[in-house]
Every structure is written in structure tokens, then in C-alpha cells.
Amino acid sequence: MLMTDFIILVLGIAVLFYVLLGGADFGAGIVELLTGKRGIDTISKAIAPVWEANHIWLILAVVILFNGFPLVYTTLTTYLHIPLFIILLGIIFRGTAFTFRYYDTVKDNMYKYYTQLFRISSLLTPFFLGVILGAIMLGKIPSQVDGTFYEIFIAPWLNLFSFTTGIFLTLLFGWLAAIYLLGEARDDESFQTFAKTSRTFFVLLIVSGLSVFLVAEMYELNFFSRFLHSSVAIGCVLVATAIIPFLWAGIRHRNNLLTRFLASVQTACILTGWFAIQFPVMIYLADGTALTIQNSQAPERTMSLLVYALVAGILLIFPAFYYLFKVFKFSQNKQS
Amino acid sequence: MDDFLAARLQMTVSFVFHIVFACIGMTMPWLMFVAELKWIKTGRKVYQDLSKAWARGVAIFFAVGAVSGTVLSFELGLLWPKFMEHAGAIIGMPFSWEGTAFFLEAIALGIFLYGRNRVNKRIHLISGLVVGIAGVVSGIFVIAANAWMNSPSGFDWVNGQAINIDPIKAMFNNAWFQQALHMTIAAFASTSFAVAGVHAFMLLRHKGNEFHRGAIRIALAFGAVAAILQPISGDISAKNVAKLQPAKLAAMESLFKTSKPAALVIGGIPDEEKEEVKYGIHIPHLLSFLAHGDLNAEVEGLDKTSKENWPPVVIVHFAFQIMVFMGMLMMGAGILFLIFNFKWKENLDKRWWLKLLVWLTPVGFIAVEAGWIVTEVGRQPWIIYGIMKTKDAVTPMPGVQYPFYLITLIYLVLTFLVILLMRRQIFAVHMNSQNINAHD
């Protein structure tokens, strides 16, 4: 079982990194929606060197799923075909529109279209990612193809709860981006813009977080009581709350490294808290059963080889990733 | 439209689109690396300009390749969930390695593209090399997974379930080596000829331009070697397919009846109803020799396979002929290039030679697409050869034609945009540098 735990840990880390880094890249597009022209330059320069590497955390998570938990992967791709397809469209449009905008040699009408497309797809993708997270918690996903098209392929994700989690994740990405961009701002005006954006997102995030709990009660998911029964989840909420004043102070004193770190810890708390009440379930199904870590995992031989691949991958990727960020992110102040 | 057909077409469109970017992603970093190396060694500015110009191209192609590759990793499950349910545990391993290679590639590319003024020259150069190596390695891992579909191994199939799974055996199946070799060489040949063609076009307009002359020399050095090696790897492939998938080889050659000896058919129009080939050129004994290395060997025809398990003969036959023909064109040009390099160097600046290169621009990619049609259509009706039929793996969701239409439309638009963008990049080389929206 140690093998499976390790794989789940890496999966969790991949998801966390994807939310923190990939999320901030998507969030940058959302922030651009609010700040408009003022943000473009900072945002383009900030995400160009890193967005592709950040995107690959998602690939890692997908590969772990279809190699280690094939049934989870195929259940998602079968019953959540439509929102997953929308996410793919978002991934295509965000990546290409951003790159085309960045590299085009002429600034004409195409530049405007690329910008529009970049912003809209940056908003759409996190929303539907959140919808999918909601859908796997809600327990409306069927275990077999039996019923109407609406019941099987629409109802599992087209509902208030999934949409609430979608909004939550979108706001989380936007907030992370605003915090992250504070450290990229080159002048006082854009710093103030991003600081204001981060405050707006923070307030909205708290409101939307509470509504996730309230809507969950409407659907009788018992989030409150499940939360209260998990000491890990309670701990996460306490830590995340305790950090808030330090985060505000970090922004006020423009300690960008501290602010980024604290925001990352808060995000890690949110994910860990969610994980604590979800564990060991991966997908709740409509018939009352669930796909769990245990009942959906691949045979032992596959799992042990996956562990080797992940260990080797981590040994190669983490130092390289650290170096990438050292070159482009940590040495920011020296450069300007 | 029938859902099964729509799913197959969506997969086709996604592959046809992605494979071009995959080839470029495997090859262009090497061209860029050599240009950078030449700049460091000779100190000639033109090579640095070249490295920078190619790097911009790599950035655009890599981004499109990364997102279209992500689409495929989801489409495997969106369109063929029954396949992935079983195959995931068996061939997921090469994908997890591919993920690592791809990660390193993206990181190294970030450093190469944006770090020119931030890291020292040596690290910058090494990062270019890492992009090249990681690109080729990740390509090989993906191809190993595809080869498993042609030559499934590393499991026992009992009552519709895979047991005794051994992912290592599955990855190193009997087809992986020849497929990886053939595809890697194909990527180098196709991309190099395309790059040479584009620069030849510009050289015709800007006579004697050192930038384009240098570009053609680097690209064709790779392209010529690859195009000349490719028939050897093709021969290995043919013998391998003859052994593992006789029906595919029979379809490629439209060999309806088992023959001893078997003739090679060049061209012609196969008729599946009458089981004959019209208007083809038959070369006696040659197929026996190519398939088994013996002029009189028996070659299995389609008659050994029941008709419901035939691949679509006409498509496979034509695709194979096209691939070979395009490969021959590249090989011919490659040989000419090497000859001119040793003797009659003046020919390399002649208009007829540059025009020839312009005409050869798309040839390699046509060969790659045709080759993949042979591989994939030639495996039909199987998704896992001899184990699972493609129609049994398709998603239960009705209405697949709508995502198919959408993906097709999007990829058409993206193709148009990439061409527009590259056109602008290429012409920008000759524009006043102030107009260029450069970031470095």
C-alpha cells in the first residue's frame, strides 16, 4: 500500500503545482480581463518563459490517472466528456492565442483577436475544471450507460453545485495570479492595480468558498459535518485563516516573496482540506458507491513501475524546475 | 453522421494536425542547436541571427504541439474509453516517461528562448541540446505505446480482461524499435526539407543572402542524411510488418492472394470486390525479397484473413505508394546535395536547385501523414491488434460528430494562423528591425 500512497502523494503534488503555477497563468488572463491594457505587458513577460512547463503538471496528473487509475480516467472521460472537451478547447485557445500574440511581428487586428481569445479561454478553462471537481464530489456520475442523454452526459456536471465549485476555482486562480503579479510589477501604478485586484478576488473567494459549503448542504453532501470530523481539515482551515493578516501585511510592505509563499500555503491548505474529506474516494457515483483509491488502482506490477518512473521523474524535473524559476523568477529584482 | 465514424475522423484530424508539430518539435531544436554552435565557433553573426530566428519558430510550433498533444492525451479517453480502460495499466508506463521528457523539454526550451541574456553561453547552449534530446526521447516513448497497439504484448487476454500485466514487455514490444527508428528519421527528413524549402524560397528573392544560404546548408545536412537512411529503416519495417501484421503488408501491396514468389506492385488501382489490381507495374520476386529477404519466399495475401478483418485496402495501398514515392524524391535530392557538396558546389546556388527545394517543401510531411495512414488504417479493424476491435472501444456518448466538426474547424483555423504567423516571421527577417515586435 506504500506504493499507492506514494503515487497519490505525487498526484496531489502535481495537482497542487498545477493550481499554483498553471492556475496563476490562467488567472493572469482573468486579471487581464479586469485590468485591461495596463496589465498586458507585465503579464506577457511574466508568463511567457514558464507557462508551458507549468502546463505539464496537468499532463503529469493525467498520466498518473490513466496509468495508475485507468477506471477513474475512463469514468471521467466517458461521463464528463462535454466539460472535458470544453477544457480542451480552452487549453488550445489559451496556449495558442498567448503565443501568437507574444510572437506576432505586427500589431494589427489579429493582436486584438488573440487578446480577446486569450482572456476568454483563461476564464473558461478554470471554470470548467472546477465544474469537474464539483461533479466528482457530487455523486451524480452514473456507473453505467443507462438512461437518457441528459441524465448520463449532462446532469452529472450541469448543476448548481458544480457551477459553484467552478466559480470558486476561477476566483482562486485569479487571486493567485494577482498575488503572483505583484512581484512582477515594474512601477507603482501597476503594483497598486494588482494589489486592488488581489483584494477584490480575496473577498469574492471567501464569499464563494462559503457558498460552496451552503450549496453542498442543499445537496445533502454534509460538508460541515465531514469537515468537523476531520482534524486535518480543521487544521487546514485554522492555518489558512491565521495566515490572512500576515498576507495583508506582506502586500502592504511589498514583500513579494513572502506574499507568494503565504498565498501558496493557503492554497495548499484548501486542497489538503478538500482532500482530507474526500479521501479515499476519487469519484462519488450516482448508485451510492464510489471509485476509491483502492478499488480503481492498476495491478501491482504497473503501480510499482509507475513509482520508479515518478521517482526518476521527480529527480530530473524538480532540480530543472527550480533552476528555471531561479533564472526567471527569483532573480527578478537584479534584472530590472 | 455515424458516431463511430465521427470518432475515427476526429482522431484522424487530431493526429494529422499534431504529427506535423511533433516532427518539427523533434527536429527544429537540433537545427537551432547547430546554428547556435556555429555562432559560438565561428563568431559569425549570421548564425546567431539564424539561431534566434529558428528559436522563434520553435516557440510557436512547440506551443501548438504542446496543446494539440494535450488534446490527444484526453481524446484517447474521450473517444476510446474501453481501450484506455484496459490499455492504461499496460502502456501507461511509456507515457509517464514521456511526461518526464516533455517536462525537461519545456523547461530547457524556456531557458533557451528567454534566457539568452540571463544565463552564461555554455548553459544556454546545453539547454538547446537538452531540448533536442528530450524532444526525440519523448517522441520515441509515445511511438512505443503506439507500436504496442500493432504488436500487443506484456499481458494475457482472458475473458475480455488483461491479466499478468508486464508494462516493460509491453513497452519493448516487437514493433517498437522499427517504428521509433522509422518515425524519428522521418521527423528529421520532413522538417529539414521543409525548412530548406522555405529558406530556398527566400534565397530566390534575396540572391546570395548568407542567412538563407547558411540555413539551407544546416537543414539539408540533416535532411540528406535522414532521407538516405530512411529506405534502410523502411526495409526493417517492411520485414517486421510482414511477420507481425501480414494483413497490413498485404493491403499495402494489394496482395489479394498468397503468392510464392510474390511480385512487388507499384502504383495501380486495387479493386476489393474483384480482388485484383488494375494498371499496376508488377516486378516479379521483389516483394518476396523485400518482405522475407528471399527471392522465392511465400508472402501471405489477404486471402489468409477473413474479409471482415481486412483493413481498407485502397486507402492503405495508396497511402503506402505515396509515402514511398515522396521518400524517394527526398532521397534523390539528398544524394544530389551530398554530391554537390563534394564536387560542383556552384550548383547549390543555382536557381533550378533552389526551385527544386521549394517544390520539395511539403513532400516530407506528405510522406509522414501517408505513413501514419498506413500504420493506423492498416491496423483496422483492430485498435489492439487481434485483441480488441476499434468499434468496441468507442465512447457510448452519442453526437460525436459535433466535437468532430468543432475540432476540425479549429484546427483548420489554427493551420491558417500558424502559416500567417510564420509568413510574417519569415518576412520580418528582411524588414526594418524597428517594426519587429521582439522581446529579446
Side-chain angles (χ1 to χ4, degrees):
Chain A
M1 279 306 94
L2 203 63
M3 277 179 340
T4 312
D5 293 342
F6 176 77
I7 291 169
I8 289 293
L9 179 69
V10 179
L11 180 64
I13 291 172
V15 171
L16 174 64
F17 274 68
Y18 184 64
V19 169
L20 287 178
L21 302 168
D25 295 340
F26 275 108
I30 305 171
V31 171
E32 219 189 86
L33 269 175
L34 298 180
T35 59
K37 267 200 182 128
R38 270 172 302 167
I40 290 186
D41 228 35
T42 317
I43 286 167
S44 293
K45 284 217 170 82
I47 67 179
V50 292
W51 77 266
E52 272 157 333
N54 292 346
H55 169 71
I56 296 171
W57 293 107
L58 176 70
I59 310 270
L60 183 64
V62 170
V63 168
I64 292 176
L65 275 187
F66 81 53
N67 191 3
F69 306 91
L71 205 56
V72 171
Y73 171 78
T74 53
T75 303
L76 292 176
T77 54
T78 305
Y79 301 105
L80 301 179
H81 190 123
I82 296 167
L84 273 173
F85 187 75
I86 298 172
I87 287 176
L88 288 183
L89 299 184
I91 287 174
I92 296 175
F93 285 132
R94 194 281 301 244
T96 52
F98 176 76
T99 308
F100 293 175
R101 177 174 86 169
Y102 190 84
Y103 275 102
D104 206 349
T105 48
V106 188
K107 271 196 185 181
D108 56 4
N109 269 340
M110 295 310 290
Y111 185 90
K112 278 186 225 153
Y113 299 138
Y114 294 147
T115 298
Q116 290 293 335
L117 208 56
F118 168 64
R119 292 173 185 174
I120 293 167
S121 50
S122 293
L123 184 70
L124 213 64
T125 315
F127 175 73
F128 278 95
L129 268 175
V131 164
I132 285 177
L133 289 183
I136 68 174
M137 288 186 264
L138 183 59
K140 275 199 171 183
I141 296 176
S143 46
Q144 53 189 331
V145 185
D146 182 21
T148 63
F149 184 86
Y150 177 81
E151 283 164 2
I152 303 170
F153 299 107
I154 308 268
W157 57 273
L158 189 78
N159 51 62
L160 183 63
F161 180 69
S162 297
F163 274 53
T164 319
T165 52
I167 292 168
F168 179 77
L169 198 71
T170 310
L171 291 168
L172 178 65
F173 281 15
W175 174 68
L176 280 170
I179 295 282
Y180 172 79
L181 288 167
L182 287 173
E184 304 283 331
R186 286 282 166 276
D187 52 68
D188 194 58
E189 196 198 335
S190 49
F191 185 92
Q192 292 305 340
T193 309
F194 294 133
K196 193 173 147 236
T197 316
S198 80
R199 278 192 290 271
T200 315
F201 273 122
F202 191 76
V203 175
L204 292 173
L205 192 61
I206 290 183
V207 175
S208 115
L210 287 174
S211 34
V212 169
F213 274 84
L214 289 175
V215 176
E217 289 309 302
M218 280 168 51
Y219 284 87
E220 295 176 351
L221 296 176
N222 302 323
F223 267 24
F224 281 118
S225 69
R226 277 157 74 190
F227 235 91
L228 292 174
H229 282 99
S230 162
S231 48
V232 176
I234 295 173
C236 285
V237 173
L238 291 178
V239 172
T241 314
I243 283 175
I244 297 173
F246 297 100
L247 191 70
W248 289 127
I251 296 175
R252 203 174 318 115
H253 294 106
R254 306 202 173 180
N255 189 337
N256 297 321
L257 218 53
L258 178 76
T259 325
R260 281 182 189 181
F261 174 72
L262 293 177
S264 306
V265 173
Q266 283 196 317
T267 309
C269 285
I270 294 171
L271 283 180
T272 315
W274 166 59
F275 191 72
I277 60 165
Q278 179 91 354
F279 186 85
V281 170
M282 298 193 89
I283 301 177
Y284 285 98
L285 297 173
D287 60 7
T289 63
L291 292 178
T292 66
I293 291 165
Q294 288 83 21
N295 72 17
S296 68
Q297 62 178 299
E300 202 179 318
R301 175 97 176 120
T302 302
M303 295 302 262
S304 64
L305 286 167
L306 180 56
V307 170
Y308 294 137
L310 291 177
V311 170
I314 286 168
L315 291 177
L316 287 167
I317 291 165
F318 272 84
F321 210 83
Y322 175 79
Y323 184 74
L324 179 75
F325 272 73
K326 188 170 158 270
V327 170
F328 292 107
K329 297 298 160 200
F330 303 150
S331 58
Q332 212 49 253
N333 302 332
K334 271 181 279 172
Q335 278 300 320
S336 63
Chain B
M1 189 189 282
D2 174 38
D3 285 322
F4 176 47
L5 181 66
R8 285 185 62 192
L9 287 176
Q10 186 181 332
M11 208 65 195
T12 308
V13 168
S14 306
F15 265 125
V16 164
F17 183 81
H18 177 69
I19 196 68
V20 173
F21 296 92
C23 286
I24 297 172
M26 281 165 89
T27 309
M28 266 203 84
W30 288 97
L31 304 184
M32 176 182 90
F33 171 72
V34 171
E36 184 76 15
L37 196 67
K38 282 199 154 189
W39 146 243
I40 290 174
K41 283 208 164 154
T42 65
R44 287 181 59 200
K45 181 86 169 44
V46 66
Y47 288 117
Q48 191 192 27
D49 292 344
L50 197 53
S51 168
K52 278 187 180 172
W54 277 345
R56 292 172 72 87
V58 168
I60 293 167
F61 287 120
F62 187 83
V64 180
V67 296
S68 59
T70 306
V71 169
L72 279 170
S73 73
F74 279 95
E75 275 177 340
L76 282 173
L78 290 174
L79 299 172
W80 317 106
K82 279 283 167 268
F83 163 71
M84 286 307 286
E85 198 181 312
H86 297 286
I90 308 172
I91 51 155
M93 190 184 75
F95 280 109
S96 60
W97 285 102
E98 190 262 348
T100 302
F102 190 40
F103 229 130
L104 291 177
E105 192 183 353
I107 292 170
L109 188 65
I111 292 167
F112 190 88
L113 292 180
Y114 305 94
R116 195 177 279 277
N117 304 320
R118 292 191 175 216
V119 299
N120 72 41
K121 257 188 181 170
R122 181 187 292 269
I123 290 179
H124 187 250
L125 185 68
I126 292 173
S127 69
L129 185 64
V130 172
V131 179
I133 295 172
V136 169
V137 169
S138 66
I140 290 173
F141 282 126
V142 175
I143 292 160
N146 174 268
W148 176 84
M149 296 162 74
N150 288 314
S151 172
S153 53
F155 66 98
D156 295 315
W157 192 249
V158 179
N159 297 328
Q161 293 294 329
I163 56 166
N164 300 327
I165 289 171
D166 184 349
I168 292 186
K169 254 193 189 159
M171 180 177 161
F172 297 107
N173 57 73
N174 289 325
W176 89 271
F177 178 74
Q178 57 95 357
Q179 270 195 240
L181 183 70
H182 202 57
M183 183 58 215
T184 308
I185 296 175
F188 275 91
S190 56
T191 309
S192 304
F193 270 94
V195 170
V198 170
H199 285 283
F201 179 79
M202 294 305 288
L203 191 53
L204 281 167
R205 296 180 149 217
H206 302 271
K207 211 165 170 262
N209 184 298
E210 279 304 311
F211 177 83
H212 296 300
R213 291 183 71 203
I216 296 173
R217 268 198 303 277
I218 296 175
L220 278 192
F222 278 98
V225 173
I228 292 167
L229 288 178
Q230 191 66 314
I232 303 170
S233 123
D235 182 57
I236 300 173
S237 290
K239 291 190 165 60
N240 194 278
V241 172
K243 208 163 56 191
L244 300 173
Q245 295 175 287
K248 184 187 275 182
L249 186 84
M252 281 153 69
E253 276 300 319
S254 296
L255 185 68
F256 289 100
K257 288 181 185 60
T258 304
S259 309
K260 184 188 175 179
L264 184 81
V265 181
I266 296 175
I269 303 166
D271 185 334
E272 279 189 60
E273 293 290 307
K274 291 184 185 156
E275 306 197 356
E276 60 179 29
V277 188
K278 277 184 201 154
Y279 317 119
I281 304 166
H282 293 253
I283 305 174
H285 295 282
L286 192 55
L287 184 58
S288 292
F289 182 72
L290 289 176
H292 299 291
D294 172 359
L295 284 170
N296 291 310
E298 181 180 279
V299 179
E300 201 180 309
L302 283 161
D303 53 354
K304 289 274 175 78
T305 307
S306 66
K307 207 159 184 176
E308 87 231 25
N309 288 341
W310 281 16
V313 179
V314 180
I315 297 175
V316 178
H317 180 78
F318 280 132
F320 180 65
Q321 308 293 317
I322 290 170
M323 176 189 77
V324 172
F325 182 65
M326 299 295 160
M328 290 296 159
L329 287 180
M330 283 188 288
M331 186 180 70
I335 292 172
L336 275 183
F337 173 74
L338 292 188
I339 292 174
F340 290 164
N341 241 323
F342 282 108
K343 223 174 166 197
W344 306 298
K345 245 194 173 124
E346 68 280 3
N347 277 323
L348 294 176
D349 287 315
K350 290 267 163 67
R351 289 187 72 83
W352 71 267
W353 170 249
L354 297 177
K355 277 186 181 162
L356 177 73
L357 290 180
V358 174
W359 280 104
L360 290 179
T361 307
V363 160
F365 288 118
I366 296 173
V368 166
E369 302 289 7
W372 275 103
I373 289 171
V374 172
T375 317
E376 292 298 291
V377 180
R379 194 189 54 243
Q380 301 306 320
W382 305 99
I383 191 164
I384 309 173
Y385 191 68
I387 303 277
M388 182 189 282
K389 292 218 169 150
T390 313
K391 67 175 163 54
D392 297 327
V394 73
T395 177
M397 192 185 81
V400 185
Q401 71 262 39
Y402 300 109
F404 160 61
Y405 295 144
L406 212 54
I407 280 281
T408 308
L409 181 71
I410 289 168
Y411 280 168
L412 282 175
V413 172
L414 278 185
T415 306
F416 170 77
L417 289 178
V418 169
I419 291 171
L420 178 79
L421 208 61
M422 289 319 291
R423 221 183 103 89
R424 287 177 170 184
Q425 295 286 332
I426 291 159
F427 283 96
V429 170
H430 294 283
M431 283 195 319
N432 189 342
S433 59
Q434 286 162 356
N435 296 337
I436 300 176
N437 173 21
H439 300 269
D440 47 27

